[in-house]
Coordinates of all heavy atoms in Angstrom, one line a residue:
M1164 N 10.0 12.0 -17.2 CA 10.6 11.3 -18.3 C 11.2 12.2 -19.3 O 10.8 13.4 -19.4 CB 9.5 10.5 -19.1 CG 8.9 9.3 -18.2 SD 7.7 8.4 -19.1 CE 6.3 9.6 -19.0
G1165 N 12.3 11.8 -20.0 CA 12.8 12.5 -21.1 C 12.3 12.0 -22.4 O 12.1 10.9 -22.6
D1166 N 12.1 13.0 -23.3 CA 11.6 12.7 -24.7 C 12.8 12.6 -25.6 O 13.4 13.6 -25.9 CB 10.6 13.7 -25.1 CG 9.9 13.4 -26.4 OD1 10.5 12.5 -27.2 OD2 8.9 14.0 -26.7
R1167 N 13.1 11.4 -26.0 CA 14.3 11.2 -26.9 C 14.1 11.8 -28.3 O 15.1 11.9 -29.0 CB 14.6 9.7 -27.0 CG 15.1 9.0 -25.7 CD 15.5 7.6 -26.0 NE 16.1 7.0 -24.8 CZ 15.5 6.1 -24.0 NH1 14.3 5.7 -24.3 NH2 16.1 5.6 -22.9
E1168 N 12.9 12.1 -28.6 CA 12.7 12.8 -29.9 C 13.1 14.3 -29.8 O 13.2 15.0 -30.8 CB 11.2 12.7 -30.4 CG 10.9 11.3 -30.9 CD 9.5 11.1 -31.4 OE1 8.8 12.2 -31.6 OE2 9.1 10.0 -31.7
I1169 N 13.2 14.8 -28.6 CA 13.6 16.2 -28.4 C 15.2 16.3 -28.1 O 15.8 17.1 -28.6 CB 12.9 16.8 -27.2 CG1 11.4 16.9 -27.5 CG2 13.4 18.2 -26.8 CD1 10.5 17.3 -26.4
S1170 N 15.6 15.3 -27.3 CA 17.1 15.3 -27.0 C 17.6 13.9 -26.6 O 16.8 13.1 -26.0 CB 17.3 16.3 -25.7 OG 18.6 16.3 -25.3
P1171 N 18.8 13.6 -26.9 CA 19.3 12.3 -26.5 C 19.7 12.2 -25.0 O 19.8 11.2 -24.4 CB 20.6 12.1 -27.3 CG 21.0 13.5 -27.7 CD 19.8 14.4 -27.7
S1172 N 19.9 13.4 -24.4 CA 20.3 13.4 -23.0 C 19.7 14.6 -22.3 O 19.4 15.6 -23.0 CB 21.9 13.4 -22.8 OG 22.4 14.6 -23.4
F1173 N 19.6 14.5 -21.0 CA 18.7 15.5 -20.3 C 19.4 16.3 -19.2 O 18.8 17.2 -18.6 CB 17.4 14.8 -19.8 CG 16.8 14.1 -20.9 CD1 16.9 12.7 -21.0 CD2 16.0 14.8 -21.9 CE1 16.3 12.0 -22.1 CE2 15.5 14.1 -22.9 CZ 15.6 12.7 -23.0
G1174 N 20.7 16.0 -18.9 CA 21.4 16.8 -17.9 C 20.8 17.0 -16.6 O 20.2 16.1 -16.1
V1175 N 20.8 18.2 -16.1 CA 20.2 18.5 -14.8 C 18.8 18.9 -14.8 O 18.2 19.1 -13.8 CB 21.1 19.6 -14.1 CG1 22.5 19.2 -13.9 CG2 21.0 20.9 -14.9
N1176 N 18.2 19.0 -16.1 CA 16.9 19.5 -16.2 C 15.8 18.7 -15.4 O 14.9 19.3 -14.8 CB 16.5 19.6 -17.7 CG 17.3 20.6 -18.4 OD1 17.6 21.7 -17.9 ND2 17.8 20.3 -19.6
P1177 N 15.9 17.4 -15.4 CA 14.9 16.7 -14.6 C 14.9 17.0 -13.1 O 13.9 17.1 -12.5 CB 15.2 15.2 -14.8 CG 16.4 15.1 -15.7 CD 16.8 16.5 -16.1
G1178 N 16.1 17.3 -12.6 CA 16.2 17.7 -11.2 C 15.6 19.1 -11.0 O 14.9 19.3 -10.0
I1179 N 15.8 20.0 -11.9 CA 15.2 21.3 -11.8 C 13.6 21.2 -11.9 O 12.9 21.8 -11.1 CB 15.7 22.2 -12.9 CG1 17.2 22.5 -12.7 CG2 14.9 23.6 -12.9 CD1 17.9 23.2 -13.9
A1180 N 13.2 20.4 -12.8 CA 11.7 20.2 -12.9 C 11.2 19.5 -11.7 O 10.1 19.9 -11.2 CB 11.4 19.3 -14.2
A1181 N 11.9 18.5 -11.2 CA 11.4 17.8 -10.0 C 11.3 18.7 -8.8 O 10.3 18.7 -8.1 CB 12.3 16.6 -9.7
Q1182 N 12.3 19.6 -8.6 CA 12.2 20.5 -7.5 C 11.1 21.5 -7.6 O 10.4 21.8 -6.7 CB 13.6 21.2 -7.4 CG 13.6 22.2 -6.2 CD 14.9 22.9 -6.0 OE1 15.6 23.2 -6.9 NE2 15.3 23.1 -4.7
S1183 N 10.9 22.0 -8.9 CA 9.8 22.9 -9.1 C 8.4 22.3 -8.8 O 7.6 22.9 -8.2 CB 9.8 23.5 -10.5 OG 11.0 24.1 -10.8
I1184 N 8.3 21.1 -9.3 CA 7.0 20.3 -9.0 C 6.8 20.2 -7.5 O 5.7 20.4 -6.9 CB 7.0 19.0 -9.7 CG1 6.9 19.2 -11.2 CG2 5.8 18.1 -9.2 CD1 7.2 17.9 -12.0
L1185 N 7.9 19.8 -6.8 CA 7.7 19.6 -5.3 C 7.5 20.9 -4.6 O 6.7 20.9 -3.6 CB 9.0 18.9 -4.8 CG 9.1 17.4 -5.1 CD1 10.3 16.8 -4.5 CD2 7.9 16.7 -4.7
L1186 N 8.1 22.0 -5.0 CA 7.8 23.3 -4.4 C 6.4 23.7 -4.6 O 5.7 24.2 -3.7 CB 8.7 24.4 -5.0 CG 10.2 24.4 -4.6 CD1 11.1 25.3 -5.4 CD2 10.3 24.7 -3.1
G1187 N 5.8 23.5 -5.8 CA 4.4 23.7 -6.1 C 3.5 22.9 -5.3 O 2.5 23.3 -4.8
A1188 N 3.9 21.6 -5.2 CA 3.1 20.6 -4.3 C 3.1 21.1 -2.9 O 2.0 21.1 -2.2 CB 3.7 19.3 -4.5
T1189 N 4.2 21.6 -2.4 CA 4.3 22.0 -1.0 C 3.4 23.2 -0.8 O 2.6 23.3 0.2 CB 5.7 22.4 -0.6 OG1 6.6 21.2 -0.9 CG2 5.9 22.8 0.8
E1190 N 3.3 24.1 -1.8 CA 2.4 25.3 -1.7 C 1.0 24.9 -1.6 O 0.2 25.6 -1.0 CB 2.6 26.1 -3.0 CG 3.8 27.0 -3.0 CD 3.6 28.3 -2.2 OE1 2.7 29.0 -2.4 OE2 4.5 28.5 -1.3
K1191 N 0.7 23.7 -2.2 CA -0.7 23.2 -2.2 C -1.0 22.3 -1.0 O -2.0 21.7 -0.9 CB -1.0 22.5 -3.4 CG -1.1 23.4 -4.7 CD -1.3 22.5 -5.9 CE -1.2 23.3 -7.2 NZ -2.1 24.5 -7.3
G1192 N 0.0 22.2 0.0 CA -0.2 21.4 1.2 C 0.1 20.0 1.0 O -0.2 19.1 1.8
L1193 N 0.8 19.6 -0.1 CA 1.2 18.2 -0.4 C 2.6 18.0 0.1 O 3.3 19.0 0.2 CB 1.0 17.8 -1.8 CG -0.5 17.9 -2.4 CD1 -0.5 17.8 -3.9 CD2 -1.3 16.9 -1.7
G1194 N 3.0 16.8 0.2 CA 4.4 16.4 0.5 C 4.9 15.6 -0.7 O 4.1 15.0 -1.5
G1195 N 6.2 15.4 -0.7 CA 6.7 14.6 -1.8 C 8.2 14.2 -1.6 O 8.8 14.7 -0.7
C1196 N 8.6 13.4 -2.5 CA 10.0 12.9 -2.4 C 10.5 12.5 -3.8 O 9.8 11.9 -4.6 CB 10.0 11.6 -1.5 SG 11.6 11.0 -1.2
I1197 N 11.7 12.9 -4.1 CA 12.4 12.6 -5.4 C 13.0 11.2 -5.2 O 13.7 11.0 -4.2 CB 13.4 13.6 -5.8 CG1 12.9 15.0 -5.8 CG2 14.1 13.2 -7.1 CD1 13.9 16.1 -6.0
I1198 N 12.7 10.3 -6.2 CA 13.3 9.0 -6.1 C 14.0 8.7 -7.5 O 13.4 8.8 -8.5 CB 12.2 7.9 -5.9 CG1 11.5 8.2 -4.6 CG2 12.8 6.5 -5.8 CD1 10.1 7.5 -4.4
A1199 N 15.4 8.4 -7.3 CA 16.1 8.1 -8.5 C 16.5 6.6 -8.6 O 16.9 6.1 -9.7 CB 17.4 8.9 -8.6
S1200 N 16.3 5.9 -7.5 CA 16.7 4.5 -7.4 C 15.4 3.8 -7.9 O 14.5 3.4 -7.1 CB 17.0 4.1 -6.0 OG 17.3 2.7 -6.0
I1201 N 15.4 3.6 -9.2 CA 14.1 3.1 -9.9 C 14.5 1.8 -10.7 O 15.5 1.8 -11.4 CB 13.6 4.1 -10.9 CG1 13.5 5.5 -10.2 CG2 12.2 3.7 -11.4 CD1 13.5 6.6 -11.3
K1202 N 13.6 0.8 -10.7 CA 13.8 -0.3 -11.7 C 13.2 0.2 -13.0 O 12.0 -0.1 -13.3 CB 13.1 -1.6 -11.1 CG 13.8 -2.1 -9.9 CD 13.1 -3.4 -9.4 CE 13.9 -3.9 -8.2 NZ 13.1 -5.0 -7.5
K1203 N 14.0 0.9 -13.8 CA 13.5 1.6 -14.9 C 12.9 0.6 -16.0 O 11.9 0.9 -16.6 CB 14.6 2.4 -15.6 CG 15.0 3.6 -14.7 CD 16.1 4.5 -15.3 CE 16.4 5.6 -14.4 NZ 17.4 6.5 -14.9
T1204 N 13.6 -0.5 -16.2 CA 13.1 -1.5 -17.3 C 11.7 -2.0 -16.8 O 10.8 -2.0 -17.7 CB 14.1 -2.6 -17.4 OG1 15.4 -2.0 -17.7 CG2 13.7 -3.5 -18.6
E1205 N 11.6 -2.4 -15.6 CA 10.3 -3.0 -15.1 C 9.3 -1.9 -15.1 O 8.1 -2.2 -15.5 CB 10.5 -3.5 -13.6 CG 11.3 -4.8 -13.6 CD 12.8 -4.6 -13.4 OE1 13.3 -3.5 -13.8 OE2 13.5 -5.4 -12.8
L1206 N 9.6 -0.7 -14.7 CA 8.6 0.4 -14.6 C 8.1 0.7 -16.0 O 6.9 0.8 -16.3 CB 9.1 1.6 -13.9 CG 8.2 2.8 -13.8 CD1 6.9 2.4 -13.0 CD2 8.9 4.0 -13.1
A1207 N 9.0 0.8 -17.0 CA 8.6 1.1 -18.4 C 7.7 0.0 -19.0 O 6.7 0.3 -19.6 CB 9.9 1.3 -19.2
Q1208 N 8.0 -1.3 -18.6 CA 7.2 -2.4 -19.0 C 5.8 -2.3 -18.4 O 4.8 -2.4 -19.1 CB 7.9 -3.7 -18.7 CG 9.0 -4.1 -19.7 CD 9.8 -5.3 -19.2 OE1 9.6 -5.8 -18.1 NE2 10.7 -5.7 -20.0
S1209 N 5.8 -2.0 -17.1 CA 4.4 -2.0 -16.5 C 3.6 -0.8 -16.9 O 2.4 -0.9 -16.9 CB 4.5 -2.1 -15.0 OG 5.1 -0.9 -14.5
L1210 N 4.3 0.2 -17.4 CA 3.5 1.4 -17.9 C 3.3 1.3 -19.4 O 2.7 2.2 -20.0 CB 4.2 2.7 -17.6 CG 4.4 3.1 -16.1 CD1 5.2 4.3 -16.0 CD2 3.0 3.3 -15.5
D1211 N 3.8 0.2 -20.0 CA 3.7 0.0 -21.4 C 4.2 1.2 -22.2 O 3.6 1.8 -23.1 CB 2.2 -0.3 -21.8 CG 2.1 -1.0 -23.2 OD1 3.2 -1.5 -23.6 OD2 1.1 -1.0 -23.8
L1212 N 5.4 1.7 -21.7 CA 5.9 3.0 -22.2 C 6.7 2.8 -23.5 O 7.5 1.9 -23.7 CB 6.9 3.5 -21.1 CG 7.3 4.9 -21.0 CD1 6.0 5.8 -20.8 CD2 8.3 5.2 -19.9
S1213 N 6.5 3.8 -24.4 CA 7.2 3.8 -25.7 C 8.7 4.0 -25.4 O 9.1 4.7 -24.4 CB 6.7 4.9 -26.5 OG 7.6 5.3 -27.5
T1214 N 9.6 3.4 -26.2 CA 11.0 3.6 -26.1 C 11.4 5.1 -26.4 O 12.5 5.5 -26.2 CB 11.8 2.7 -27.1 OG1 11.3 2.9 -28.4 CG2 11.7 1.3 -26.6
R1215 N 10.4 5.9 -26.9 CA 10.7 7.3 -27.1 C 11.0 8.0 -25.8 O 11.7 9.0 -25.7 CB 9.4 7.9 -27.7 CG 9.4 9.4 -27.8 CD 8.1 9.9 -28.4 NE 8.0 11.3 -28.2 CZ 6.9 12.1 -28.6 NH1 5.9 11.5 -29.2 NH2 6.9 13.3 -28.4
F1216 N 10.5 7.4 -24.7 CA 10.6 8.1 -23.4 C 11.6 7.4 -22.5 O 11.6 6.2 -22.4 CB 9.3 8.2 -22.7 CG 8.3 9.0 -23.4 CD1 7.2 8.4 -24.0 CD2 8.4 10.4 -23.5 CE1 6.3 9.1 -24.7 CE2 7.5 11.1 -24.3 CZ 6.4 10.5 -24.8
E1217 N 12.5 8.2 -21.9 CA 13.4 7.6 -20.9 C 13.0 8.0 -19.5 O 12.8 9.2 -19.2 CB 14.8 8.2 -21.2 CG 15.9 7.7 -20.2 CD 17.3 8.2 -20.4 OE1 17.5 8.7 -21.5 OE2 18.1 8.2 -19.5
I1218 N 12.8 7.0 -18.6 CA 12.4 7.3 -17.2 C 13.7 7.9 -16.5 O 14.8 7.4 -16.6 CB 12.0 6.1 -16.5 CG1 10.7 5.6 -17.1 CG2 11.8 6.3 -15.0 CD1 10.2 4.2 -16.6
L1219 N 13.5 9.1 -15.9 CA 14.6 9.8 -15.3 C 14.5 9.8 -13.8 O 15.4 9.5 -13.0 CB 14.7 11.2 -15.8 CG 14.9 11.3 -17.4 CD1 14.7 12.7 -17.8 CD2 16.3 10.8 -17.8
L1220 N 13.3 10.2 -13.3 CA 13.0 10.3 -11.9 C 11.6 9.9 -11.6 O 10.7 10.0 -12.5 CB 13.2 11.7 -11.4 CG 14.6 12.3 -11.3 CD1 14.6 13.8 -11.1 CD2 15.5 11.6 -10.4
V1221 N 11.3 9.4 -10.4 CA 9.9 9.2 -10.0 C 9.7 10.2 -8.8 O 10.6 10.4 -8.0 CB 9.8 7.8 -9.4 CG1 8.4 7.6 -8.7 CG2 9.8 6.8 -10.6
L1222 N 8.6 10.9 -8.8 CA 8.2 11.7 -7.7 C 7.0 11.1 -7.0 O 6.0 10.8 -7.6 CB 7.7 13.1 -8.2 CG 8.7 14.0 -9.0 CD1 8.1 15.3 -9.3 CD2 10.0 14.1 -8.1
A1223 N 7.2 10.9 -5.7 CA 6.1 10.4 -4.8 C 5.4 11.7 -4.3 O 6.1 12.6 -3.8 CB 6.7 9.6 -3.7
L1224 N 4.1 11.8 -4.5 CA 3.3 12.9 -4.0 C 2.1 12.4 -3.2 O 1.6 11.4 -3.5 CB 2.8 13.7 -5.2 CG 3.8 14.5 -6.1 CD1 3.2 15.0 -7.3 CD2 4.5 15.6 -5.3
G1225 N 1.8 13.2 -2.2 CA 0.6 12.8 -1.3 C 0.4 13.7 -0.2 O 1.2 14.7 0.0
K1226 N -0.6 13.4 0.5 CA -0.9 14.2 1.7 C 0.0 13.8 2.8 O 0.1 12.6 3.2 CB -2.3 14.0 2.2 CG -3.4 14.7 1.3 CD -4.7 14.6 1.9 CE -5.8 15.2 1.0 NZ -7.1 14.8 1.2
P1227 N 0.8 14.7 3.4 CA 1.8 14.3 4.4 C 1.0 13.7 5.7 O 0.0 14.3 6.1 CB 2.4 15.6 4.8 CG 2.1 16.6 3.7 CD 0.8 16.2 3.1
K1228 N 1.5 12.6 6.1 CA 1.0 12.0 7.4 C 1.7 12.6 8.6 O 1.1 12.5 9.7 CB 1.3 10.5 7.4 CG 0.1 9.7 6.8 CD 0.4 8.2 6.8 CE -0.1 7.5 8.0 NZ 0.1 6.1 7.9
E1229 N 2.9 13.2 8.4 CA 3.6 13.6 9.6 C 3.8 15.1 9.5 O 3.8 15.7 8.4 CB 5.0 13.0 9.5 CG 5.1 11.6 9.7 CD 6.6 11.1 9.8 OE1 7.4 11.5 9.0 OE2 6.8 10.4 10.8
T1230 N 4.0 15.7 10.7 CA 4.5 17.1 10.7 C 6.0 17.0 10.8 O 6.6 16.3 11.5 CB 4.0 17.8 12.1 OG1 2.6 17.7 12.1 CG2 4.5 19.2 12.1
V1231 N 6.6 17.8 9.8 CA 8.1 17.8 9.7 C 8.5 19.2 10.0 O 8.0 20.2 9.6 CB 8.5 17.5 8.2 CG1 10.0 17.5 8.1 CG2 8.0 16.1 7.9
V1232 N 9.5 19.3 10.9 CA 10.1 20.6 11.2 C 11.6 20.5 10.8 O 12.3 19.5 11.1 CB 9.9 21.1 12.6 CG1 8.5 21.3 12.9 CG2 10.5 20.1 13.6
L1233 N 12.1 21.7 10.3 CA 13.6 21.7 10.0 C 14.2 22.4 11.3 O 13.8 23.4 11.7 CB 13.8 22.6 8.8 CG 13.1 22.2 7.5 CD1 13.6 23.0 6.3 CD2 13.4 20.7 7.2
D1234 N 15.3 21.7 11.7 CA 16.1 22.2 12.9 C 17.5 22.6 12.4 O 18.0 22.0 11.4 CB 16.2 21.1 14.0 CG 14.9 20.7 14.6 OD1 13.9 21.5 14.5 OD2 14.8 19.5 15.0
A1235 N 18.1 23.5 13.1 CA 19.5 23.9 12.8 C 20.3 22.6 13.3 O 20.1 22.1 14.4 CB 19.9 25.1 13.5
V1236 N 21.3 22.3 12.5 CA 22.3 21.2 13.0 C 23.0 21.7 14.2 O 23.5 22.8 14.3 CB 23.3 20.9 11.9 CG1 24.4 20.0 12.3 CG2 22.6 20.3 10.6
G1237 N 23.1 20.8 15.2 CA 23.7 21.2 16.5 C 25.3 21.1 16.4 O 25.8 20.8 15.3
P1238 N 26.0 21.5 17.4 CA 27.4 21.5 17.4 C 28.1 20.2 17.1 O 29.2 20.1 16.6 CB 27.8 22.0 18.9 CG 26.6 22.2 19.6 CD 25.4 21.9 18.7
D1239 N 27.4 19.1 17.4 CA 28.0 17.8 17.1 C 27.9 17.4 15.6 O 28.4 16.4 15.2 CB 27.3 16.7 17.9 CG 25.8 16.6 17.6 OD1 25.3 17.3 16.7 OD2 25.1 15.7 18.3
G1240 N 27.2 18.3 14.8 CA 27.2 18.0 13.4 C 26.2 16.9 12.9 O 26.2 16.5 11.8
D1241 N 25.4 16.3 13.9 CA 24.6 15.2 13.6 C 23.5 15.6 12.7 O 22.7 16.5 13.0 CB 24.0 14.6 14.9 CG 23.4 13.3 14.7 OD1 23.2 12.9 13.5 OD2 23.1 12.6 15.7
I1242 N 23.3 14.9 11.5 CA 22.2 15.3 10.6 C 21.1 14.2 10.5 O 20.3 14.1 9.6 CB 22.7 15.6 9.2 CG1 23.5 14.5 8.6 CG2 23.5 16.9 9.2 CD1 23.8 14.6 7.1
K1243 N 21.2 13.3 11.5 CA 20.1 12.2 11.5 C 18.8 12.7 11.9 O 18.6 13.5 12.8 CB 20.6 11.1 12.6 CG 21.6 10.2 12.1 CD 21.5 8.8 12.8 CE 22.7 8.0 12.7 NZ 23.7 8.2 13.7
Y1244 N 17.8 12.3 11.1 CA 16.4 12.6 11.4 C 16.0 11.9 12.8 O 16.5 10.9 13.1 CB 15.4 12.1 10.3 CG 15.7 12.7 8.9 CD1 14.9 12.2 7.9 CD2 16.6 13.7 8.7 CE1 15.1 12.7 6.6 CE2 16.8 14.1 7.4 CZ 16.0 13.7 6.4 OH 16.2 14.1 5.1
W1245 N 15.0 12.6 13.5 CA 14.5 11.9 14.6 C 13.1 12.4 14.9 O 12.6 13.4 14.3 CB 15.4 12.2 15.9 CG 15.5 13.7 16.2 CD1 16.3 14.6 15.5 CD2 14.9 14.5 17.2 NE1 16.2 15.8 16.0 CE2 15.3 15.8 17.1 CE3 13.9 14.1 18.2 CZ2 14.8 16.8 17.9 CZ3 13.5 15.1 19.0 CH2 13.9 16.4 18.9
R1246 N 12.3 11.6 15.7 CA 10.9 11.9 16.0 C 10.8 12.2 17.5 O 11.4 11.4 18.3 CB 10.0 10.8 15.6 CG 9.8 10.7 14.1 CD 8.9 9.6 13.7 NE 8.8 9.5 12.3 CZ 9.6 9.0 11.4 NH1 10.7 8.4 11.9 NH2 9.4 9.1 10.1
D1247 N 10.1 13.2 17.9 CA 9.9 13.5 19.4 C 8.7 12.7 19.9 O 8.1 11.9 19.2 CB 9.8 15.0 19.6 CG 8.6 15.6 19.0 OD1 7.6 14.9 18.8 OD2 8.7 16.9 18.7
S1248 N 8.4 12.9 21.2 CA 7.4 12.1 21.8 C 6.0 12.3 21.2 O 5.1 11.5 21.4 CB 7.4 12.3 23.3 OG 7.2 13.7 23.5
E1249 N 5.9 13.5 20.6 CA 4.6 13.7 19.9 C 4.5 13.3 18.4 O 3.6 13.5 17.7 CB 4.3 15.2 20.0 CG 3.3 15.5 21.1 CD 3.8 16.6 22.0 OE1 4.1 17.7 21.4 OE2 3.9 16.4 23.2
G1250 N 5.6 12.6 18.0 CA 5.7 12.1 16.7 C 6.1 13.1 15.6 O 6.0 12.8 14.4
V1251 N 6.5 14.3 16.1 CA 7.0 15.3 15.1 C 8.4 14.9 14.6 O 9.2 14.4 15.3 CB 7.1 16.7 15.8 CG1 7.7 17.7 14.8 CG2 5.7 17.2 16.2
H1252 N 8.5 14.9 13.2 CA 9.7 14.5 12.5 C 10.7 15.6 12.4 O 10.3 16.6 11.8 CB 9.2 14.0 11.2 CG 10.2 13.2 10.4 ND1 9.9 12.6 9.2 CD2 11.5 13.0 10.6 CE1 11.0 12.0 8.8 NE2 12.0 12.3 9.6
H1253 N 11.8 15.5 13.1 CA 12.8 16.6 13.1 C 13.9 16.3 12.1 O 14.4 15.2 12.0 CB 13.4 16.8 14.5 CG 12.4 17.3 15.5 ND1 12.4 18.6 15.9 CD2 11.5 16.7 16.2 CE1 11.4 18.8 16.7 NE2 10.9 17.6 17.0
V1254 N 14.1 17.3 11.2 CA 15.1 17.1 10.1 C 16.2 18.2 10.3 O 16.0 19.4 10.0 CB 14.4 17.3 8.7 CG1 15.5 17.1 7.6 CG2 13.3 16.2 8.6
P1255 N 17.4 17.8 10.8 CA 18.4 18.8 11.0 C 19.0 19.3 9.7 O 19.3 18.4 8.8 CB 19.5 18.0 11.8 CG 18.8 16.8 12.4 CD 17.8 16.5 11.4
K1256 N 19.2 20.5 9.5 CA 19.7 21.1 8.2 C 20.9 22.0 8.6 O 20.8 22.8 9.5 CB 18.6 21.9 7.5 CG 17.5 21.0 6.9 CD 17.9 20.2 5.7 CE 16.8 19.4 5.1 NZ 17.3 18.4 4.2
R1257 N 21.9 22.0 7.8 CA 23.0 23.0 7.9 C 22.5 24.3 7.6 O 21.7 24.5 6.7 CB 24.2 22.5 7.0 CG 24.8 21.2 7.4 CD 25.9 20.8 6.4 NE 26.4 19.5 6.8 CZ 25.9 18.4 6.2 NH1 25.0 18.5 5.2 NH2 26.4 17.2 6.6
S1258 N 23.1 25.4 8.2 CA 22.7 26.8 7.9 C 23.3 27.2 6.6 O 24.3 26.6 6.1 CB 23.2 27.6 9.1 OG 24.6 27.8 9.0
L1259 N 22.7 28.2 6.1 CA 23.2 28.8 4.8 C 24.7 29.2 5.0 O 25.5 29.0 4.0 CB 22.4 30.1 4.4 CG 21.2 29.8 3.6 CD1 20.5 31.1 3.2 CD2 21.4 29.0 2.3
D1260 N 25.0 29.8 6.1 CA 26.4 30.2 6.4 C 27.4 29.0 6.2 O 28.5 29.2 5.8 CB 26.5 30.9 7.7 CG 26.1 32.3 7.8 OD1 25.9 32.8 6.6 OD2 25.9 32.8 8.9
D1261 N 26.9 27.9 6.6 CA 27.8 26.7 6.6 C 27.9 26.1 5.2 O 28.9 25.4 4.9 CB 27.2 25.5 7.5 CG 27.4 26.0 9.0 OD1 28.3 26.8 9.3 OD2 26.7 25.4 9.8
I1262 N 27.0 26.3 4.3 CA 27.0 25.7 3.0 C 27.4 26.6 1.9 O 27.8 26.2 0.8 CB 25.7 25.0 2.6 CG1 24.6 25.9 2.5 CG2 25.4 23.9 3.6 CD1 23.3 25.3 2.0
I1263 N 27.4 27.9 2.1 CA 27.9 28.9 1.1 C 29.3 29.2 1.4 O 29.7 29.7 2.4 CB 26.9 30.1 1.1 CG1 25.5 29.8 0.7 CG2 27.5 31.2 0.2 CD1 24.5 30.9 0.7
I1264 N 30.1 29.0 0.4 CA 31.6 29.3 0.5 C 31.9 30.6 -0.2 O 31.5 30.9 -1.3 CB 32.4 28.2 -0.3 CG1 32.1 26.8 0.3 CG2 33.9 28.5 -0.2 CD1 32.6 25.7 -0.5
G1265 N 32.6 31.5 0.6 CA 32.9 32.7 0.0 C 33.1 33.8 1.0 O 32.9 33.6 2.1
Ligands
FMN2116 C1 18.0 13.6 -7.7 C2 17.6 13.0 -6.3 C3 17.3 11.6 -6.3 C4 17.0 11.0 -5.2 N1 16.7 9.6 -5.1 C5 16.3 9.0 -4.0 C6 16.1 7.6 -4.0 O1 16.2 7.0 -5.0 N2 15.7 7.1 -2.8 C7 15.6 7.8 -1.7 O2 15.2 7.2 -0.6 N3 15.8 9.1 -1.7 C8 16.2 9.7 -2.8 N4 16.4 11.1 -2.8 C9 16.3 11.8 -1.5 C10 14.9 12.3 -1.3 O3 14.2 12.7 -2.4 C11 14.9 13.4 -0.3 O4 15.6 14.5 -0.9 C12 15.7 13.1 1.0 O5 14.9 12.1 1.6 C13 15.9 14.3 1.8 O6 14.7 14.8 2.3 P1 14.6 16.1 3.0 O7 15.0 17.2 2.1 O8 13.2 16.3 3.5 O9 15.6 16.0 4.1 C14 16.8 11.7 -3.9 C15 17.1 13.1 -4.0 C16 17.4 13.7 -5.2 C17 17.6 15.2 -5.1

């Protein structure tokens, strides 16, 4: 949440904070997911939240049920996730060489 008594807008800071929290959670063996598609009004009501605070992101945190492995994207460029016969969740990721321009 952003504190409107500190700032009227929050820029990229919630994203930086969310990533840091998830990196720390991963270090502790937890898994997580950043969620920005939130029913903010309903959530603020159900939390009885003061208007001082603006909901920016929700982080789901928990013990991972699945084993996830990162794979290099193949020549077809397909980035769809898939599960193998043992239930391992494969997540294709582009290489650093492919995403860094220069
Ligand atoms: C700022 C931000 C907001 C996001 N919001 C949502 C969301 O509302 N719903 C959703 O399913 N995934 C959302 N995601 C994507 C997931 O958090 C996650 O990054 C995505 O599933 C990719 O996971 P991976 O990095 O393990 O491949 C968001 C990601 C970011 C960085």
Side-chain angles (χ1 to χ4, degrees):
M1164 292 180 286
D1166 186 340
R1167 293 188 173 104
E1168 288 185 6
I1169 296 173
S1170 175
S1172 62
F1173 307 99
V1175 298
N1176 294 320
I1179 296 168
Q1182 183 177 35
S1183 300
I1184 292 167
L1185 288 182
L1186 287 170
T1189 303
E1190 282 282 306
K1191 292 179 188 300
L1193 298 171
C1196 185
I1197 303 172
I1198 302 168
S1200 179
I1201 313 157
K1202 290 181 178 169
K1203 293 183 179 178
T1204 306
E1205 288 90 330
L1206 182 57
Q1208 279 169 358
S1209 67
L1210 295 174
D1211 201 16
L1212 201 62
S1213 158
T1214 52
R1215 172 179 167 182
F1216 298 109
E1217 179 181 341
I1218 295 171
L1219 303 167
L1220 292 170
V1221 167
L1222 298 185
L1224 291 169
K1226 286 191 185 160
K1228 266 179 95 173
E1229 294 189 310
T1230 300
V1231 178
V1232 293
L1233 304 185
D1234 298 331
V1236 172
D1239 61 2
D1241 193 348
I1242 57 165
K1243 278 204 196 97
Y1244 299 177
W1245 58 283
R1246 287 179 179 81
D1247 65 26
S1248 56
E1249 261 127 57
V1251 175
H1252 191 172
H1253 291 262
V1254 178
K1256 292 288 182 189
R1257 297 179 184 91
S1258 72
L1259 274 184
D1260 281 347
D1261 289 338
I1262 61 171
I1263 293 178
I1264 300 168

